[in-house]
Amino acid sequence: MSSRAYIENLADYIGREVTIAGWLYNKRSSGKIRFLIVRDGTGLLQGVIVKQNVTEEVFSTFDALTQESSLRLRGTIRKDDRAPGGYEMDVNHVEIISIAKEYPITPKEHGVEFLMDRRHLWLRSQRQHAILRIRHEIIRSIREFFDGRGFLLMDAPIFTPAACEGTSTLFETEYFDLGKAYLTQSGQLYGEAGAMAFGKVYVFGPTFRAEKSKTRRHLTEFWMVEPEVAFNDLNDDMDLAEEFLEHIVGSVLKNRMTELKTLERNTKFLENVKRPLPRITYDEAVAILHKKGAAFEWGNDFGGADETVISEEFDRPVMVHRYPAKVKAFYMKRDPKNEELALAVDVLAPEGYGEIIGGSQREDDYDMILKRLHEHNLPESAFEWYLDLRRFGSVPHSGFGLGVERTVSWICGLDHVRETIPFPRMIYRLTP
Ligand code: 4AD
Ligand code: MG
């Protein structure tokens, strides 16, 4: 009996007979030798079938096998640096499990929409493997960062009674006898309750925005991680954000270099992601835009193009703080030195990837937060519980949200967020 092995572990099986279960990636023949390139989800292996070493039946299975047919290969493992994956198998047996119909995704070029329609199959390709493995590493390192620093994981609800990040991007649904429910735009408000209960927490889950814009940065469903810390001010928040980014990027560089190479990612900017990250005010960012000839009016929010121009001044992510309050969310505390400004921070990634983190110090005064709710036309009744956080032992506190997909897009050097999540949801896409 030969034992079942996975391709990524073949170093442990040199000289031994093993069985690999997988799918046919490619095949070719030359004279009396047949090559089967097989993928098992963990890597590629080249199986070599020599006519005189196998039965006629096994030798002829080669002809029947189509791309993506499932099979088991049995044979002895050899190291071979020229083979895809670095190992070869001298095959002595091939078992066909299922012959695949004509597979739509061939090694030739396909358009993005064609591939997106077949996303469930496209996931089998090497490029998608590299991206989704990096996504996994980013998520793993996010959890490692907070778990290793005493943060409690707080799961926030997905059905919520009101808006958190502005009413223009709310997904709405009927909720039994209770009226309307909204898909969460952010778990932050619940994270604040968590911070008052546990000191420091992180919320990590899917969030929803009815984004009507078709850009390379927007999904309607995306994952966000949101730490929230009691007694932290805006500076503490920026300290946390820069240590966090250094940790994530460092983990990908350490553990996923092979995948970055597959994506032909130039890692120069990633290697620069070390503390301290530059910190500039909104006013300083506007001055950069003006210096470079952009027609930008003070008081507006930055668009994607503005963010690119600003970030081009820096060789690593830049933190822009103290935005005009009127372009930011209701819960942000005002700068005591200038009431027009919010104690907000956005982290802009280099190379034109734009905002990956949005955060702030929160308004902790009861009368002020009530005033802000009214100014933003938010229903006080839905926020009664939130007001309690300012009634019972209110403290300064701050936090931020990092968008997983924008971070994956930046670290992988992609030109659109649609490849950063297994099944993307966008204004014009709900399938597969
Ligand atoms: O800046 P945002 O809207 O901040 C919040 O939601 C806060 N409540 C976070 C907090 O302080 N706890 O969103 C945070 C991040 C953005 O910087 C971006 O990376 C990502 O979420 N994001 C999106 N990613 C993909 N598609 C979209 N439509 C996104 N909208 C925001
Ligand atoms: Mg934002």
Side-chain angles (χ1 to χ4, degrees):
M1 270 296 287
S2 69
S3 55
R4 165 93 190 270
Y6 283 96
I7 294 170
E8 67 180 350
N9 301 326
L10 285 180
D12 302 336
Y13 292 88
I14 293 168
R16 285 171 56 188
E17 192 185 81
V18 297
T19 298
I20 295 287
W23 297 263
L24 188 74
Y25 190 71
N26 212 342
K27 65 178 185 179
R28 66 198 162 82
S29 63
S30 96
K32 294 198 158 83
I33 307 184
R34 302 280 183 268
F35 298 96
L36 296 176
I37 298 153
V38 170
R39 57 168 202 91
D40 74 345
T42 73
L44 291 178
L45 172 66
Q46 176 156 289
V48 185
I49 312 177
V50 182
K51 197 169 169 64
Q52 69 256 33
N53 295 351
V54 295
T55 63
E56 188 56 44
E57 194 196 333
V58 167
F59 197 70
S60 61
T61 54
F62 178 87
D63 298 325
L65 284 168
T66 52
Q67 187 186 351
E68 288 302 314
S69 289
S70 47
L71 72 170
R72 285 194 190 88
L73 282 189
R74 192 176 71 209
T76 309
I77 299 301
R78 261 188 300 111
K79 184 142 182 57
D80 188 328
D81 292 331
R82 296 159 310 172
Y87 298 92
E88 267 188 357
M89 174 189 270
D90 289 318
V91 175
N92 53 41
H93 192 72
V94 180
E95 179 196 343
I96 296 176
I97 296 170
S98 171
I99 294 292
K101 299 207 160 57
E102 200 178 329
Y103 193 65
I105 303 177
T106 58
K108 71 165 207 246
E109 287 272 308
H110 297 286
V112 166
E113 288 308 312
F114 177 92
L115 291 167
M116 271 294 156
D117 287 340
R118 291 158 189 80
R119 181 69 175 160
H120 49 295
L121 301 177
W122 191 20
L123 295 176
R124 302 179 187 192
S125 76
Q126 294 305 297
R127 177 183 158 85
Q128 300 308 313
H129 277 214
I131 296 169
L132 292 181
R133 286 212 168 91
I134 291 172
R135 176 186 172 99
H136 182 185
E137 177 62 23
I138 289 169
I139 292 173
R140 192 201 62 75
S141 67
I142 287 171
R143 294 192 183 283
E144 175 182 75
F145 181 86
F146 292 119
D147 294 346
R149 285 166 179 76
F151 283 69
L152 186 97
L153 173 68
M154 263 267 303
D155 300 312
I158 306 272
F159 285 133
T160 61
C164 169
E165 297 296 326
T167 48
S168 65
T169 61
L170 271 183
F171 277 111
E172 173 182 297
T173 182
E174 295 300 326
Y175 199 83
F176 304 106
D177 296 338
L178 298 181
K180 302 254 183 268
Y182 306 94
L183 297 186
T184 186
Q185 298 168 304
S186 155
Q188 177 198 318
L189 307 187
Y190 298 94
E192 289 183 53
M196 299 309 135
F198 296 97
K200 45 185 176 176
V201 300
Y202 68 107
V203 178
F204 198 176
T207 47
F208 305 86
R209 307 255 172 117
E211 298 281 2
K212 281 154 202 103
S213 43
K214 291 188 193 179
T215 77
R216 61 199 200 90
R217 298 173 182 179
H218 288 94
L219 295 165
T220 53
E221 176 178 333
F222 60 98
W223 284 67
M224 199 183 344
V225 58
E226 300 180 86
E228 190 71 34
V229 185
F231 303 101
N232 266 13
D233 64 13
L234 181 66
N235 279 330
D236 300 324
D237 206 34
M238 292 196 271
D239 291 347
L240 184 66
E242 66 181 3
E243 190 185 354
F244 179 54
L245 284 178
E246 181 180 292
H247 179 81
I248 296 174
V249 174
S251 298
V252 175
L253 287 171
K254 182 159 158 259
N255 300 321
R256 287 288 176 254
M257 211 48 176
T258 312
E259 286 77 8
L260 290 171
K261 286 215 178 78
T262 299
L263 298 171
E264 295 172 8
R265 177 69 167 119
N266 178 349
T267 56
K268 188 184 76 177
F269 278 107
L270 299 179
E271 272 143 25
N272 287 340
V273 184
K274 294 267 159 55
R275 283 173 287 172
L277 300 182
R279 297 178 188 193
I280 62 171
T281 61
Y282 171 90
D283 287 357
E284 287 165 335
V286 172
I288 290 173
L289 289 174
H290 288 163
K291 184 186 79 185
K292 292 179 153 183
F296 181 87
E297 203 180 315
W298 194 98
N300 289 340
D301 202 358
F302 299 130
D306 303 314
E307 290 176 349
T308 299
V309 173
I310 296 161
S311 67
E312 274 166 0
E313 291 285 287
F314 303 93
D315 69 349
R316 61 196 70 198
V318 55
M319 308 208 227
V320 183
H321 57 90
R322 295 181 163 77
Y323 282 69
K326 75 170 176 32
V327 301
K328 289 291 183 189
F330 79 93
Y331 51 71
M332 293 187 182
K333 194 176 177 66
R334 300 295 170 96
D335 185 350
K337 296 205 189 81
N338 180 352
E339 273 293 307
E340 260 191 289
L341 302 178
L343 293 176
V345 58
D346 278 4
V347 183
L348 311 182
E351 302 169 88
Y353 283 91
E355 180 199 334
I356 48 170
I357 285 183
S360 65
Q361 186 171 335
R362 321 307 188 187
E363 180 53 70
D364 50 23
D365 180 78
Y366 177 87
D367 295 323
M368 270 309 171
I369 198 88
L370 190 60
K371 186 164 162 238
R372 301 288 174 235
L373 282 175
H374 292 152
E375 282 169 4
H376 284 79
N377 287 319
L378 291 165
E380 197 183 319
S381 60
F383 288 88
E384 265 308 315
W385 69 271
Y386 186 69
L387 291 169
D388 271 356
L389 306 178
R390 276 71 180 167
R391 285 189 187 105
F392 304 114
S394 191
V395 298
H397 60 291
S398 67
F400 60 80
L402 169 117
V404 169
E405 289 73 19
R406 287 202 193 162
T407 306
V408 175
S409 184
W410 161 52
I411 292 179
C412 290
L414 309 180
D415 47 45
H416 199 291
V417 287
R418 66 190 154 212
E419 285 178 75
T420 63
I421 183 164
F423 295 98
R425 296 291 174 250
M426 294 168 279
I427 181 170
Y428 50 90
R429 182 165 292 282
L430 188 57
T431 55

